Amino acid sequence: MLHLSRLSRADWFGPLLATILAILLIQSFSASFLSAYNIEILLLAIAVNALVAYSQMVIIAIGQMNLSVGAIGGLAAISFAGVMEVWGLPAPLALLLALAIGALAGAVNGILIRITGISAFVITLATLSIFKGINLGITEAQPFYGIPESVKSFGASILFGPVPLLVLPTAIVTLLLWLMLRRLPMGRFILAVGSNEHAAALSGISVGTTVVAAHAISGLLAALAGVLVVARLQIGQPSIGDDWLILSFAAPVIGGAILAGGHVSTMATLLGVVIVAIITQALVLFSIDPFLVQVVLGAMILAAVGLNRLRARTPLKGSH
């Protein structure tokens, strides 16, 4: 009984229970919900959305927010597609360039926040506009169609059964993030800065370096998400990333992240992504108006924040 009580307090327990209940409920109304085709569609959405959520989660961990997640992902995506079409760059080099652009854009956010002392909200709101403007300047609002067959093949390939190959990079990133937050010094520094920036500085942690590193990691993850979207769509759309912002907050918050910082959970955030994907897919299956997806996401964020505030009465710092 004591073990079960401790288990129920884990960040991932609630989202896991909600995921199982949602699957059982939707399956009872629609027998096709767990068909191979639907599972593949769900996993494709999860593969991209998990990276978007992780990109925000890392910033929430330091007690900040990144409104430019989608703009960075979109800029990396069109850079990835553009250099392959215009310059004929091989896909691996284009990937490295796109990831470097994402990490650099994220680092710029972190540097500006530390140098100016202006809140992350204001800085990333400004860079959102800048990065999106660069995106539109490069593309002139037109897609890049010259995606190599190797990239198209990667985006369309199946790993096994209904599991798409796009899931593999996300699975690797999930494991690496979990290890970073639980085992590596950088993960501990990020959580310490989020818990108490002043105490972290007194204990010898370089707060400035940690903030810049967190934003660089965030930009890198957003860029990888953008690249996966290009591979999935087989086209470099200037609009990639435009609708990521709400999702990027929804999944970590559903996963128990404390917006003030210092406490996030990789596994619970992943389950938050799964819950959002399941609800979105259910609305499609039942032919419900798409605008309700945004309504449901907003309601879920409010509910999750409310539950987190109740749990904060017995706070548990750290990550799982």
Side-chain angles (χ1 to χ4, degrees):
M1 185 66 74
L2 181 62
H3 179 69
L4 184 61
S5 175
R6 288 180 61 189
L7 194 68
S8 67
R9 288 198 298 270
D11 279 319
W12 51 263
F13 185 82
L16 178 62
L17 199 61
T19 300
I20 294 168
L21 289 173
I23 290 171
L24 292 175
L25 181 64
I26 297 165
Q27 179 67 13
S28 69
F29 284 101
S30 173
S32 65
F33 179 66
L34 291 180
S35 66
Y37 174 75
N38 266 342
I39 290 173
E40 183 182 342
I41 296 298
L42 274 173
L43 290 175
L44 282 169
I46 290 166
V48 173
N49 294 347
L51 294 174
V52 175
Y54 295 155
S55 179
Q56 193 68 255
M57 181 192 77
V58 173
I59 303 304
I60 291 173
I62 58 171
Q64 297 181 5
M65 57 181 66
N66 184 359
L67 303 185
S68 65
V69 162
I72 293 174
L75 181 59
I78 60 100
S79 298
F80 175 64
V83 296
M84 290 189 294
E85 178 181 314
V86 178
W87 294 345
L89 219 61
L93 286 179
L95 170 63
L96 289 175
L97 179 64
L99 295 181
I101 287 170
L104 178 62
V108 166
N109 280 342
I111 291 167
L112 288 174
I113 289 162
R114 291 308 297 178
I115 288 176
T116 65
I118 298 171
S119 74
F121 179 92
V122 174
I123 292 292
T124 58
L125 180 63
T127 57
L128 181 162
S129 183
I130 292 168
F131 297 145
K132 187 62 185 176
I134 295 171
N135 178 333
L136 294 175
I138 292 170
T139 60
E140 296 180 351
Q142 298 300 313
F144 288 115
Y145 295 99
I147 309 300
E149 287 304 318
S150 59
V151 176
K152 291 181 179 179
S153 175
F154 178 79
S157 293
I158 298 296
L159 196 57
F160 59 86
V163 181
L165 188 56
L166 282 182
V167 167
L168 188 59
T170 304
I172 293 169
V173 167
T174 301
L175 178 60
L176 292 175
L177 267 181
W178 181 83
L179 285 171
M180 182 188 80
L181 290 170
R182 283 192 58 105
R183 306 291 182 198
L184 300 182
M186 179 51 67
R188 291 197 294 271
F189 294 166
I190 286 171
L191 292 168
V193 169
S195 293
N196 188 320
E197 186 176 308
H198 182 63
L202 289 176
S203 66
I205 295 171
S206 173
V207 174
T209 301
T210 303
V211 167
V212 173
H215 277 277
I217 293 168
S218 173
L220 183 70
L221 294 172
L224 182 56
V227 168
L228 292 193
V229 173
V230 171
R232 179 181 169 186
L233 298 179
Q234 305 191 355
I235 186 174
Q237 282 279 14
S239 60
I240 289 173
D242 285 358
D243 59 350
W244 288 3
L245 187 58
I246 295 295
L247 169 75
S248 75
F249 280 103
V253 169
I254 291 167
I258 295 175
L259 293 176
H263 180 79
V264 294
S265 169
T266 306
M267 293 304 152
T269 296
L270 177 61
L271 286 167
V273 171
V274 173
I275 290 168
V276 171
I278 287 171
I279 290 172
T280 304
Q281 185 70 358
L283 292 175
V284 172
L285 274 177
F286 300 135
S287 301
I288 297 171
D289 287 338
F291 78 87
L292 273 178
V293 173
Q294 299 298 318
V295 175
V296 170
L297 278 180
M300 287 173 70
I301 291 173
L302 285 173
V305 169
L307 287 172
N308 289 348
R309 285 183 68 87
L310 287 175
R311 289 185 59 186
R313 293 174 182 176
T314 53
L316 177 65
K317 296 289 182 181
S319 70
H320 303 278

